[in-house]
Amino acid sequence: VQVVESGGGLVQAGGSLRLSCALSGLTFSNYAMGWFRQAPGKEREFVASVSWITWAGATTEYGDSVKGRFTISRDNPKSTVYLQMNSLKPEDTAAYYCAARYGYSSRKADEYGYWGQGTQVTVSS
């Protein structure tokens, strides 16, 4: 099983970035995908998640600090989840991690069984 993030980088405040996360080795549609972030000296924080329900499609959740600015989406044929980040702020600076959980999504990091190595996002003021 591999979880591979990409798309991080340095951006000015107010700018945008799109993170991608590719999952291999599992049946993607059976897994909820989540994004978490961790800044130095802080705990890992829930950012967003997306589940796939056969009869309902994708369902999403967002952390309060990113609601209205970030959008999570998934492409099941490509086994990839995206995090579109707009109106970025310096406080969004962190390592961003993608994770997979069988079934429905959760806001709790310890409920995800598969993790990527992370991608750094730095927002300058």
Side-chain angles (χ1 to χ4, degrees), residues 1-5 21-24 33 98-100 114-118:
V1 177
Q2 283 193 313
V3 181
V4 180
E5 305 100 332
C21 171
L23 176 69
S24 60
M33 301 299 294
C98 178
Y114 304 95
W115 289 83
Q117 292 300 307

Side-chain angles (χ1 to χ4, degrees), residues 1 3 5 11 16 22 31 46 48 68 72 78 88 112 115 121-122:
V1 177
V3 181
E5 305 100 332
V11 64
S16 298
Y31 286 79
F46 171 75
I72 189 171
K78 294 183 178 180
L88 283 162
Y112 287 77
W115 289 83
V121 171
T122 302

Side-chain angles (χ1 to χ4, degrees), residues 88-111:
L88 283 162
K89 305 175 182 180
E91 50 264 44
D92 294 319
T93 295
Y96 283 71
Y97 297 90
C98 178
R101 180 180 190 269
Y102 184 81
Y104 297 119
S105 64
S106 170
R107 293 172 175 259
K108 299 178 180 179
D110 59 7
E111 295 188 356

Side-chain angles (χ1 to χ4, degrees), residues 65-84:
S65 61
V66 306
K67 203 172 293 184
R69 300 187 297 124
F70 290 11
T71 302
I72 189 171
S73 60
R74 63 188 293 155
D75 185 334
N76 285 354
K78 294 183 178 180
S79 297
T80 300
V81 62
Y82 304 99
L83 184 69
Q84 177 66 43

